[in-house]
Amino acid sequence: MSLDQPTDWSASELMATVLAGQLRDGEVAIMGTGSAVPQASCRLAQLTHAPNFSYIAGGTCSVNPYQQPLVASSCDYRLLRAETAVPLTDVVLMEGRGDVFDIFFAGGIQIDAYGNCNLVAVGSWNHPHPRGPGSVGLPFLSRVGRILIYTMSHNRRTFVEKVDFRSGPGFLEGPASWREAGLMGGGPAMVVTPLCTMTFNPETLRMQIASLHPGVELQQVVEATGFEIEIEPPLPFTPSPSPEQLDILRAMDPNGLLR
Amino acid sequence: MSLDQPTDWSASELMATVLAGQLRDGEVAIMGTGSAVPQASCRLAQLTHAPNFSYIAGGTCSVNPYQQPLVASSCDYRLLRAETAVPLTDVVLMEGRGDVFDIFFAGGIQIDAYGNCNLVAVGSWNHPHPRGPGSVGLPFLSRVGRILIYTMSHNRRTFVEKVDFRSGPGFLEGPASWREAGLMGGGPAMVVTPLCTMTFNPETLRMQIASLHPGVELQQVVEATGFEIEIEPPLPFTPSPSPEQLDILRAMDPNGLLR
Amino acid sequence: MVSISDAVSSIVEDGSFVVVGGMHLHNNPMALVREIIRQGRRTGKLLTSPCGAMNADLLLGAGLVDELITSYVGFEHLGLAPNFRRLAEQGSIRILECDEPYIAHGLYAGAGGLPFIPLPRGLEYSDIPKVNPESYTYTEDPFSGERVLVGAPLLPEVALLHAQLSDAQGNAVLLGAHFLDRLIALASKHVILQVERIVSTEEISSHPMGTTIPAFLVDAVVVATGGCHPTSSHAFYTYDEQHLRQYLEMARDERGTDEYLTRYVRQTTEALYQQSMADRIDSLRNEAVLEQRAL
Amino acid sequence: MVSISDAVSSIVEDGSFVVVGGMHLHNNPMALVREIIRQGRRTGKLLTSPCGAMNADLLLGAGLVDELITSYVGFEHLGLAPNFRRLAEQGSIRILECDEPYIAHGLYAGAGGLPFIPLPRGLEYSDIPKVNPESYTYTEDPFSGERVLVGAPLLPEVALLHAQLSDAQGNAVLLGAHFLDRLIALASKHVILQVERIVSTEEISSHPMGTTIPAFLVDAVVVATGGCHPTSSHAFYTYDEQHLRQYLEMARDERGTDEYLTRYVRQTTEALYQQSMADRIDSLRNEAVLEQRAL
């Protein structure tokens, strides 16, 4: 918990509500490992403003798991308490097709100013420190409607000017390279951390602070970010989770994964 | 029924027993459309000398259907009375892998001296007469252990010197082209018709008569074959089905598809 | 759920690339095929999966197919496909001659966004690639340097599929064989699903791994009880051999085909067709073959 | 059915290309992995599918992997994979860096005899192809002329897989998620299957479409009740978080890893291991999640 003031909700709960707000009725989302926060956000969206939103949860490939309860592993058997399930091989096809998934929830051990994500290596690939687990499906960021990035680590090791290894492409090296690539995906749309939400400047394609979480000072974010982050004051505060949202999140999370 | 002498078994029953004799314990076979005869042969082999022989029956992709009863359509729902079943997409993969299937049962509207099969067109492809249904999986003949060809039509329209369209490769255009192609498959091993069985001369790779069905004269076969067929006298007669074999075949064929 | 006429009129555009599901005499989406004929929608390209039967031959007979991409159209032991045969022999239909491996791998490429698909070595020894350079070409294997036959991805605009069960949203269960229908749904831009019966989402959820097509791939669900007739619907009824033989007889020439289309398609609605065939279909009910989930 | 030691000794040759099934903390074929370590069989190449955990990290810790081909080795929310991390940071293991789409499509190519496999456009914007030219290269799309990233087929010699149920011949049912295990069985020259329980062929036949792997692809079936421990076996038991945390703690250095291997692998047999863990596994039994076929 990185907030300075005491609140009656956790950073993860706030992040889940922020992400839920990005999801629209009728859309379809996909996510990878370590996905309790995005899973909670998807289910929250379904139970509030987006009843026909669909999502596929990790390697079980269950579709619209009921989150009874929210689980920590992306391949947990209990995720099959779900509307239905599809084979992983089909999900790989749909990710490649590129017009099925509107949202990809991404993260990384490094995330850079242009939203590129690294799950492989800090330092050189040959002699990394640390060596990350690996990219899994992150290269598919190039073929998805929009990318929502989340991380529990808002610090200068995670937020760097340029990733040491690109697992999943954000806006590449900025406007020129992004235009040249002509990818079908829309690129990163938002980043949410325990401190703030960030979007991308449509001109520079660099990360900019969009809102500060309640109780967070701008200076905290600037110091915790390893690149020059764009700011357009006055910055709003991120809306706190509503009581209804918190009720829903806590009903699906008896084990307190988000607390 | 093309035999001249009355027998207590049909040509199809004889063909099923001949084909069964080609199947070895532990092997795996695959077949296409219109496959009552090969299906009967596979089940017969399982129930006699080859209990660990496996076969996949047409588009249902059932594995080792119990043939209760033998059915006419290769995709009949009743074929799912089977040991198990696999998806059609998996069968296409296994056919391509090339080391899974030992046997492919093939046929055609034309079959030529080198065992090439045609399911597409007699005459030119642009103006065929008749137009056949199409090749389905026959091009996979290039990647299977050995090919067993069967047809109910032993006549000069079916057995031609050279197919007008090659759906599935036999020994191509003979020894030079076969060597040059260097295919992983072993090529055609046997042909069975209502008149006789034929094998392929190991030198010329052309079809040769291997046995005459009981009551069939050599001259009949020669006249019914549209190319110069090799003969090595004295020709044996094809062994008649045994009473045990006929009991098994008739138990699985209450509707008399083989009669 | 929408009406069959709304589903077809709103999703199938004139000139679309359409794929028909089912295989041979089984699970042909005939209710949707008949509705397309009633509405006179031309299919710019028609793909069979891999083996077409009544689903393709009827559209061909109705003169609604510009180009046919197929590895088989026929009626198995019942005979050749009369309209396919006649049009092919007359040279009055453009055929993209294919084989099953290309159709399966081409759909895989289409579903997965693969720009093209290499085919197993040996397939180049059929004559198919020679007559269909639009679907097949050659390239070099960049690893080995060898010449490789490759296929173009198959990207249908509309899939017409039959499922035995689905919920109202389109989470579909194919009881019995799946043929290529799952892959077709994955590769197609739009999916219209005809089903024997609508079940609750709770029923779908109780066997999540048993679902064949997830709802988010399905554009429209149409109830069509008996909608595969005269072909079979696995686990529900077998094919109507008598009706199929009648069709094969009538469709020997254009006039007979037209008479068949008038009587069984154009002068009736799908609801009336299914009503008129209900007794026949009842008599074709499958003996219980497998221990099944509740129907 | 054979004993686990006979299955491993007769099928896994020293230096083989081995693939381990399961994904993340689930369905890892740990009984087979432990037996390989007991017998000291080197894997010339080890593939994860796509996400390895204990299955890969333990083989790496035992020093039995020459080359690792993977898109992920880790323990999800529990932490990084300690032996994978240490060896990678030391530069003492050759890594063929991959992504999930290549592993899935590469196995598809291997299973289907496709000489190579084009990948969807856009995947070339990761750094993965740059550091792994053995698995990835470029060619030209012969249809469009565009540059295309392609992968080499994945052709494992031995697959180590876990299934919840199978009959004695190896007709295997994965209850719960299948991950890539079906595809792995299709792509691999040999399959060794460890199962929670043997069922009759009649039980398999009563749900033919529910079978995940047909027996003719399986070389050996080994009964390993609790054989995924400390990972989960879907529908049977969940992962043993306490034991996994103990492993992660011990495996922080080589000495601790060796101690773990001595205690839990080398100085015990698989039967004794499973016996010693039986109470723990009982306490990890899954709540009934789904209406299931009879276990």
Side-chain angles (χ1 to χ4, degrees):
Chain A
M1 183 64 185
S2 314
L3 306 179
D4 283 346
Q5 297 181 359
T7 63
D8 59 355
W9 36 263
S10 71
S12 294
E13 286 173 336
L14 178 65
M15 290 166 67
T17 59
V18 166
L19 289 170
Q22 297 295 306
L23 311 175
R24 303 172 196 148
D25 204 32
E27 291 188 326
V28 187
I30 183 85
M31 63 198 65
T33 308
S35 44
V37 168
Q39 284 185 35
S41 77
C42 289
R43 186 69 182 143
L44 177 60
Q46 282 182 336
L47 295 176
T48 53
H49 66 282
N52 297 307
F53 172 83
S54 290
Y55 68 110
I56 295 185
T60 59
C61 303
S62 58
V63 180
N64 301 331
Y66 298 136
Q67 308 295 354
Q68 295 171 337
L70 201 61
V71 293
S73 168
S74 63
C75 293
D76 199 286
Y77 179 57
R78 289 167 291 180
L79 284 168
L80 289 170
R81 285 193 189 114
E83 188 177 309
T84 186
V86 291
L88 177 54
T89 43
D90 286 10
V91 172
V92 171
L93 291 173
M94 292 187 279
E95 288 180 301
R97 188 174 131 173
D99 61 351
V100 177
F101 296 118
D102 302 287
I103 307 277
F104 197 125
F105 291 96
I109 56 174
Q110 287 182 331
I111 300 159
D112 74 18
Y114 295 107
N116 300 293
C117 296
N118 172 8
L119 276 170
V120 167
V122 174
S124 82
W125 178 78
N126 279 308
H127 290 93
H129 187 81
R131 163 71 212 204
S135 305
V136 202
L138 226 48
F140 274 134
L141 295 187
S142 58
R143 294 181 77 79
V144 74
R146 54 193 201 282
I147 302 163
L148 299 179
I149 299 173
Y150 67 102
T151 177
M152 297 314 291
S153 309
H154 197 145
N155 58 50
R156 300 173 77 90
R157 288 189 313 281
T158 301
F159 284 94
V160 296
E161 174 62 31
K162 188 175 190 315
V163 287
D164 292 332
F165 188 99
R166 191 196 290 147
S167 292
F171 288 119
L172 302 170
E173 287 155 53
S177 65
W178 176 251
R179 259 195 315 276
E180 196 195 345
L183 296 177
M184 71 186 295
M190 174 174 263
V191 185
V192 58
T193 78
L195 297 183
C196 64
T197 72
M198 293 171 277
T199 52
F200 292 81
N201 180 313
E203 298 301 317
T204 65
L205 300 181
R206 285 179 68 92
M207 223 179 272
Q208 61 187 10
I209 306 179
S211 70
L212 295 171
H213 293 345
V216 175
E217 302 281 342
L218 175 59
Q219 196 52 27
Q220 273 180 274
V221 176
V222 170
E223 283 171 12
T225 304
F227 54 84
E228 205 166 317
I229 186 155
E230 305 195 2
I231 301 153
E232 255 196 352
L235 281 175
F237 277 108
T238 313
S240 298
S242 71
E244 186 210 354
Q245 287 176 317
L246 288 174
D247 284 350
I248 292 171
L249 288 175
R250 285 164 192 180
M252 75 175 87
D253 187 26
N255 302 319
L257 297 185
L258 303 180
R259 301 292 291 176
Chain B
M1 184 61 184
S2 314
L3 305 180
D4 282 347
Q5 297 182 357
T7 64
D8 58 355
W9 35 264
S10 71
S12 293
E13 286 173 334
L14 178 65
M15 290 166 66
T17 60
V18 166
L19 290 170
Q22 297 294 305
L23 312 176
R24 301 171 197 149
D25 204 31
E27 291 187 325
V28 187
I30 184 85
M31 62 198 67
T33 309
S35 45
V37 167
Q39 285 186 32
S41 77
C42 289
R43 187 68 182 143
L44 178 60
Q46 284 182 334
L47 295 175
T48 54
H49 66 282
N52 298 306
F53 172 83
S54 291
Y55 68 110
I56 294 185
T60 57
C61 302
S62 58
V63 180
N64 301 332
Y66 297 136
Q67 309 295 354
Q68 295 170 338
L70 200 61
V71 293
S73 168
S74 63
C75 293
D76 199 286
Y77 179 58
R78 289 167 292 179
L79 284 167
L80 290 171
R81 283 192 190 115
E83 189 177 308
T84 186
V86 290
L88 177 55
T89 43
D90 286 10
V91 172
V92 171
L93 290 173
M94 292 187 278
E95 289 181 301
R97 188 173 130 173
D99 61 350
V100 177
F101 296 119
D102 303 287
I103 307 278
F104 198 125
F105 291 97
I109 56 173
Q110 287 183 331
I111 299 158
D112 74 17
Y114 294 107
N116 300 292
C117 296
N118 172 8
L119 276 170
V120 167
V122 174
S124 81
W125 179 77
N126 279 310
H127 290 93
H129 188 81
R131 162 72 211 203
S135 304
V136 201
L138 226 48
F140 274 134
L141 295 187
S142 57
R143 293 181 77 79
V144 74
R146 51 194 203 283
I147 302 163
L148 299 178
I149 299 172
Y150 67 102
T151 177
M152 298 312 292
S153 310
H154 197 143
N155 58 50
R156 301 174 76 90
R157 288 188 312 281
T158 302
F159 285 93
V160 296
E161 175 61 32
K162 189 175 190 315
V163 286
D164 293 331
F165 188 100
R166 192 196 290 146
S167 292
F171 289 117
L172 301 171
E173 285 156 52
S177 64
W178 176 250
R179 258 195 316 275
E180 196 195 345
L183 296 177
M184 69 187 296
M190 175 175 261
V191 184
V192 58
T193 77
L195 297 182
C196 65
T197 72
M198 293 171 277
T199 52
F200 292 81
N201 180 314
E203 298 301 318
T204 64
L205 301 180
R206 286 179 67 93
M207 225 178 270
Q208 62 188 10
I209 306 179
S211 71
L212 295 171
H213 293 346
V216 175
E217 302 282 340
L218 175 59
Q219 197 52 29
Q220 274 180 273
V221 175
V222 170
E223 283 170 13
T225 305
F227 54 83
E228 205 165 316
I229 185 154
E230 304 195 3
I231 301 151
E232 256 196 350
L235 282 173
F237 277 108
T238 313
S240 298
S242 71
E244 188 209 353
Q245 288 175 315
L246 288 175
D247 285 351
I248 292 171
L249 289 175
R250 285 164 192 179
M252 74 175 87
D253 187 27
N255 301 320
L257 297 185
L258 303 180
R259 301 291 291 175
Chain C
M1 283 177 292
V2 294
S3 74
I4 191 162
S5 66
D6 285 355
V8 167
S9 67
S10 65
I11 297 171
V12 188
E13 288 179 27
D14 226 42
S16 295
F17 179 2
V18 173
V19 53
V20 279
M23 185 163 167
H24 284 309
L25 307 176
H26 309 274
N27 290 4
N28 285 203
M30 291 310 302
L32 292 170
V33 164
R34 283 186 289 261
E35 186 59 26
I36 282 178
I37 295 172
R38 280 184 206 104
Q39 298 192 17
R41 294 288 157 115
R42 291 192 71 77
T43 59
K45 195 183 276 198
L46 180 71
L47 171 66
T48 67
S49 63
C51 298
M54 189 77 169
N55 49 8
D57 204 60
L58 204 62
L59 283 168
L60 288 161
L64 292 174
V65 181
D66 290 345
E67 205 170 270
L68 179 69
I69 177 160
T70 189
S71 73
Y72 181 102
V73 187
F75 286 74
E76 293 198 275
H77 57 295
L78 303 181
L80 296 172
N83 282 296
F84 169 59
R85 181 181 171 180
R86 184 172 52 251
L87 293 169
E89 292 180 4
Q90 287 169 354
S92 52
I93 172 91
R94 183 159 189 256
I95 299 171
L96 294 172
E97 190 81 39
C98 296
D99 51 23
E100 178 183 44
Y102 165 61
I103 291 181
H105 292 307
L107 285 169
Y108 182 88
L114 279 47
F116 66 96
I117 190 88
L119 296 167
R121 178 165 143 59
L123 297 193
E124 68 274 23
Y125 286 95
S126 89
D127 285 334
I128 297 165
K130 282 185 209 160
V131 300
N132 183 4
E134 185 172 320
S135 305
Y136 299 85
T137 187
Y138 290 86
T139 190
E140 200 181 87
D141 177 344
F143 293 100
S144 71
E146 285 187 11
R147 187 166 176 258
V148 173
L149 180 68
V150 304
L154 288 165
L155 295 157
E157 287 164 288
V158 183
L160 310 179
L161 296 176
H162 178 82
Q164 280 71 34
L165 312 176
S166 93
D167 66 10
Q169 286 69 47
N171 288 302
V173 178
L174 271 75
L175 300 172
H178 295 180
F179 308 123
L180 289 186
D181 290 357
R182 172 198 288 276
L183 189 56
I184 287 170
L186 289 166
S188 301
K189 189 90 181 157
H190 300 289
V191 173
I192 311 182
L193 192 71
Q194 62 166 59
V195 301
E196 295 288 343
R197 196 173 302 175
I198 296 289
V199 296
S200 67
T201 300
E202 289 66 42
E203 160 64 19
I204 298 291
S205 299
S206 70
H207 302 76
M209 306 294 294
T211 303
T212 316
I213 303 169
F216 61 77
L217 292 180
V218 176
D219 293 76
V221 181
V222 165
V223 180
T225 309
C228 294
H229 184 270
T231 72
S232 97
S233 174
H234 268 198
F236 273 74
Y237 44 86
T238 192
Y239 53 92
D240 187 341
E241 190 169 325
Q242 188 185 322
H243 187 100
L244 287 168
R245 286 193 190 280
Q246 182 194 351
Y247 170 73
L248 295 176
E249 189 57 37
M250 290 178 79
R252 280 162 171 268
D253 57 32
E254 286 175 40
R255 175 188 297 212
T257 299
D258 207 56
E259 204 183 312
Y260 180 93
L261 287 167
T262 303
R263 193 189 309 171
Y264 292 109
V265 185
R266 293 193 183 115
Q267 283 193 346
T268 184
T269 65
E270 195 50 36
L272 285 172
Y273 179 92
Q274 286 163 24
Q275 212 178 303
S276 71
M277 293 297 174
D279 286 350
R280 293 198 60 74
I281 292 169
D282 255 352
S283 74
L284 298 164
R285 296 258 164 238
N286 269 302
E287 350 154 31
V289 167
L290 302 173
E291 215 178 284
Q292 286 285 9
R293 55 198 289 166
L295 299 184
Chain D
M1 284 177 291
V2 295
S3 74
I4 192 163
S5 66
D6 285 355
V8 166
S9 67
S10 66
I11 296 171
V12 188
E13 286 179 29
D14 226 41
S16 295
F17 179 2
V18 173
V19 53
V20 280
M23 185 164 167
H24 283 309
L25 306 176
H26 308 273
N27 290 3
N28 285 203
M30 291 310 302
L32 293 169
V33 165
R34 283 187 288 262
E35 187 59 26
I36 282 179
I37 295 171
R38 281 183 205 105
Q39 299 193 17
R41 294 290 157 114
R42 292 193 70 77
T43 60
K45 194 183 276 197
L46 180 70
L47 171 67
T48 67
S49 62
C51 297
M54 188 77 168
N55 49 7
D57 204 60
L58 203 62
L59 283 168
L60 287 162
L64 292 174
V65 182
D66 290 345
E67 204 172 88
L68 180 68
I69 177 162
T70 189
S71 71
Y72 181 102
V73 186
F75 286 73
E76 293 198 274
H77 57 295
L78 303 181
L80 294 172
N83 282 296
F84 169 59
R85 181 181 171 179
R86 184 171 53 250
L87 293 170
E89 292 180 4
Q90 288 169 354
S92 53
I93 171 88
R94 183 160 189 254
I95 298 172
L96 294 172
E97 190 80 40
C98 296
D99 51 22
E100 178 183 46
Y102 165 61
I103 290 181
H105 291 308
L107 285 169
Y108 181 87
L114 278 47
F116 66 97
I117 189 88
L119 295 167
R121 180 166 141 60
L123 297 193
E124 68 275 22
Y125 286 95
S126 89
D127 284 335
I128 298 165
K130 282 185 207 159
V131 299
N132 183 4
E134 186 172 321
S135 304
Y136 299 85
T137 188
Y138 291 86
T139 191
E140 199 182 87
D141 177 344
F143 293 101
S144 72
E146 285 186 12
R147 187 164 175 260
V148 173
L149 180 68
V150 304
L154 287 167
L155 295 157
E157 286 162 290
V158 183
L160 310 180
L161 296 175
H162 178 80
Q164 280 72 32
L165 312 176
S166 94
D167 67 10
Q169 286 69 47
N171 288 303
V173 177
L174 271 74
L175 300 172
H178 296 181
F179 308 124
L180 289 186
D181 291 356
R182 173 199 287 276
L183 189 56
I184 287 170
L186 289 166
S188 301
K189 189 88 181 157
H190 301 289
V191 174
I192 311 180
L193 192 70
Q194 61 167 60
V195 301
E196 296 288 342
R197 197 174 302 176
I198 296 288
V199 297
S200 68
T201 300
E202 288 66 42
E203 160 64 20
I204 299 290
S205 300
S206 69
H207 303 74
M209 304 296 294
T211 304
T212 316
I213 304 169
F216 61 79
L217 292 179
V218 175
D219 293 76
V221 181
V222 164
V223 179
T225 308
C228 294
H229 183 273
T231 72
S232 97
S233 173
H234 268 198
F236 274 72
Y237 43 87
T238 192
Y239 52 93
D240 187 342
E241 189 168 326
Q242 189 184 321
H243 186 100
L244 288 168
R245 287 192 190 280
Q246 182 194 351
Y247 170 75
L248 294 177
E249 189 58 35
M250 292 178 78
R252 279 163 172 271
D253 57 32
E254 283 174 42
R255 177 188 296 214
T257 299
D258 208 54
E259 203 182 313
Y260 180 93
L261 286 167
T262 302
R263 194 189 309 172
Y264 292 110
V265 184
R266 293 195 183 113
Q267 282 192 347
T268 184
T269 65
E270 194 51 36
L272 285 171
Y273 179 92
Q274 286 162 25
Q275 213 178 302
S276 70
M277 294 296 175
D279 286 350
R280 293 199 59 75
I281 292 169
D282 255 355
S283 74
L284 299 164
R285 296 259 164 236
N286 269 301
E287 351 156 29
V289 168
L290 303 172
E291 216 177 283
Q292 286 284 8
R293 55 198 289 167
L295 299 184

